[in-house]
């Protein structure tokens, strides 16, 4: 598996999820970081992350946790 092969994926979002509901209360950059983290965790729950996705998840995780700290 390489990072260069495009993959079509579909993400279904549970709008009743508390984390998703709170997205609308965040400003643009914070909302983007949290949404990206939710997306990467959804991928992780369905398949193994590529090396670049894992790197992005870990980088994004620091940013998300920085928002609550």
């Amino acid at each position: 598996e390489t990072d260069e092969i495009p993959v079509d994926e579909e993400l279904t979002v549970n709008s009743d999820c508390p984390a998703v509901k709170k997205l609308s209360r965040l400003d643009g950059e914070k909302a983007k970081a949290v949404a990206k983290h939710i997306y990467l965790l959804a991928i992780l729950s369905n398949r193994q992350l590529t090396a670049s996705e894992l790197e992005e998840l870990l980088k994004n995780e620091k940013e998300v946790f920085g928002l609550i700290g």
Side-chain angles (χ1 to χ4, degrees):
E1 179 177 331
T2 68
D3 294 338
E4 298 173 10
I5 300 173
V7 177
D8 283 337
E9 295 177 316
E10 184 175 314
L11 174 64
T12 302
V13 177
N14 177 357
S15 59
D16 289 329
C17 173
V20 173
K21 285 182 176 182
K22 290 179 182 180
L23 277 176
S24 65
R25 292 187 234 149
L26 298 175
D27 69 31
E29 287 304 310
K30 290 178 182 178
K32 184 177 178 180
V34 173
K36 182 70 171 182
H37 199 69
I38 291 169
Y39 171 73
L40 290 168
L41 289 175
I43 291 174
L44 181 59
S45 72
N46 287 292
R47 67 167 169 79
Q48 185 174 352
L49 297 177
T50 64
S52 64
E53 288 170 336
L54 180 57
E55 184 178 323
E56 188 174 8
L57 175 69
L58 294 174
K59 178 184 170 193
N60 189 264
E61 188 172 75
K62 289 179 185 179
E63 184 177 350
V64 170
F65 283 128
L67 297 173
I68 61 174

